[in-house]
Amino acid sequence: MIADRKDDHVRHAVNHQRQATGVSDFDSVTFVHHALAGIDAEDVSLAVEVAGKQWNTPLFVNAMTGGSTKTGEINRQLAIAARETGIPIASGSMSAYFRDPSVAGTYRVLREENPHGFVMANVNANATVDQVRSAIDLLEADALQIHLNAVQEVVMPEGDRSFGAWPRQIERIVADTAVPVFVKEVGFGLSRQTVTWLREAGVSVADVGGRGGTNFARIENDRRVGGDFGFIESWGQSTPNCLLDCAGIPGIDIAATGGIRSPLDIARALALGADATGVAGAFLETLVSHDTAALVDQIGTWLDQLRTILTVLGARTPADLVGADLLITGDVASFCRLRGIDAAALAHRSPWWRESENREGVTHE
């Protein structure tokens, strides 16, 4: 049953989060520290604009679950945390609702508990236009997420094996949908070519959903008798690699999800060009291991700590971080070299020194 599968996904995702090594490609991205670049914390605003909408922060709760009694309760708690911290939230895949409308409440709770928040409905790329309308109506959604999960599907024992219709169906959905459309990978990354295509299709936000967070190939392989798809668990591009690959594409906003472990990773992602960042696994583990109050505290702490990072870097807004100097090393530097990306240029882009020359009473020989 699909409800059992949804519960399995949560169980495996939490276990994998607890077993995580802590190693990430984000560790190959380092800020160059300029000791006199800092500003006053009161001058920092975390507000961003995403898909033409104003968000109070660059952080959102990314798609997780729904479709069973247990996952409905998780969604209720996630919605409360989003409401109390003022951050946007996305539903999990609503495929269970399309198959069985009786589980609608496990998704609707996101709006009931968060009546004034920014809520996104999540569907797969096979969803019909009528299903999309139903999902948006159910959640009174402010935006739509379409998830791309071909790798997950081929490992899933009961998964789909037909993906050729996805591009045309995305075009149909975008053309018929009044709210902004986000398209996200589920942990294997979006390439520059894919993001460029999404922009041409009219998609508002590309969520790179890179490798490094919840690994659905591993989750589905754990559900397989014999676990014979272990070889594919390292498939795809990491989130930092995706952001570097997609940098500078005009006409589409970029969200960074997949392996965000801390406020420092949020700042790194924003400095690599993300307009917003989403977290799922780390928040789910906190919620399951503790309670809603702990998750509210975690989100609040992360936002406070993100503000301090911006303060030290001299960034008045998250968008200003794209001017911070970055050192790209390790496997990420190798990826840049092979994809023709000038990683060295990122180490020499800070405007701080030029701005300091204009400060009152400061002169340079």
Side-chain angles (χ1 to χ4, degrees):
M1 294 176 60
I2 193 168
D4 294 335
R5 186 170 83 228
K6 297 295 185 180
D7 291 343
D8 284 346
H9 286 170
V10 169
R11 177 168 53 84
H12 287 302
V14 171
N15 287 340
H16 293 173
Q17 189 72 27
R18 291 168 177 166
Q19 297 165 8
T21 64
V23 177
S24 168
D25 271 357
F26 275 112
D27 296 324
S28 294
V29 180
T30 306
F31 286 101
V32 176
H33 175 58
H34 299 297
L36 292 175
I39 58 175
D40 296 342
E42 64 184 17
D43 293 332
V44 174
S45 168
L46 295 183
V48 295
E49 182 176 304
V50 180
K53 307 293 184 179
Q54 291 294 320
W55 289 5
N56 293 330
T57 80
L59 177 64
F60 64 96
V61 179
N62 209 9
M64 293 194 212
T65 195
S68 71
T69 300
K70 291 180 181 179
T71 59
E73 175 59 20
I74 289 173
N75 276 343
R76 186 185 71 81
Q77 295 177 72
L78 290 171
I80 292 172
R83 182 191 71 209
E84 294 301 306
T85 56
I87 69 174
I89 185 170
S91 78
S93 171
M94 298 180 71
S95 57
Y97 163 62
F98 299 148
R99 298 182 186 183
D100 180 7
S102 71
V103 303
T106 69
Y107 298 98
R108 174 66 188 174
V109 69
L110 291 170
R111 177 56 76 192
E112 292 173 344
E113 294 289 354
N114 190 16
H116 306 297
F118 192 100
V119 176
M120 292 174 266
N122 181 292
V123 303
N124 64 35
N126 285 325
T128 67
V129 169
D130 286 343
Q131 288 174 332
V132 168
R133 291 173 184 164
S134 176
I136 293 172
D137 289 346
L138 179 67
L139 299 188
E140 301 173 58
D142 302 283
L144 175 74
Q145 274 191 346
I146 303 173
H147 65 264
L148 307 180
N149 66 334
V151 177
Q152 177 190 7
E153 293 287 349
V154 297
V155 182
M156 186 189 305
E158 65 273 60
D160 293 333
R161 299 295 185 270
S162 298
F163 313 112
W166 281 9
R168 180 62 184 134
Q169 190 59 18
I170 290 172
E171 291 176 330
R172 290 191 186 99
I173 292 171
V174 171
D176 191 77
T177 302
V179 298
V181 176
F182 293 52
V183 172
K184 68 181 297 289
E185 242 291 350
V186 302
F188 307 98
L190 296 179
S191 66
R192 185 177 187 86
Q193 290 84 347
T194 304
V195 173
T196 300
W197 185 93
L198 293 172
R199 179 198 62 188
E200 296 303 312
V203 170
S204 297
V205 181
D207 178 348
V208 298
R211 189 186 71 244
T214 303
N215 189 329
F216 277 99
R218 182 181 174 194
I219 287 173
E220 298 299 351
N221 192 49
D222 285 348
R223 298 180 60 241
R224 295 181 69 91
V225 176
D228 54 336
F229 267 78
F231 63 87
I232 210 169
E233 291 179 8
S234 60
W235 190 274
Q237 298 90 256
S238 69
T239 299
N241 287 346
C242 291
L243 293 171
L244 286 158
D245 204 28
C246 299
I249 299 177
I252 189 168
D253 291 338
I254 302 295
T257 65
I260 302 287
R261 305 162 298 173
S262 68
L264 179 56
D265 285 349
I266 295 174
R268 287 162 163 161
L270 295 168
L272 289 171
D275 297 285
T277 60
V279 175
F283 290 169
L284 178 63
E285 197 278 330
T286 296
L287 189 63
V288 171
S289 297
H290 302 285
D291 55 21
T292 310
L295 179 55
V296 170
D297 287 345
Q298 179 182 16
I299 294 171
T301 298
W302 278 29
L303 294 176
D304 288 342
Q305 292 172 338
L306 178 62
R307 184 183 298 274
T308 65
I309 294 171
L310 266 66
T311 300
V312 169
L313 291 171
R316 287 175 168 79
T317 69
D320 289 343
L321 287 175
V322 295
D325 291 333
L326 296 174
L327 301 178
I328 307 298
T329 59
D331 290 342
V332 178
S334 297
F335 175 88
C336 289
R337 184 176 65 254
L338 294 171
R339 290 289 281 178
I341 299 165
D342 185 3
L346 300 180
H348 306 281
R349 60 183 188 173
S350 173
W352 174 77
W353 182 258
R354 293 186 296 276
E355 290 178 356
S356 71
E357 293 176 333
N358 297 323
R359 294 180 182 179
E360 184 177 353
V362 177
T363 59
H364 305 293
E365 297 297 331

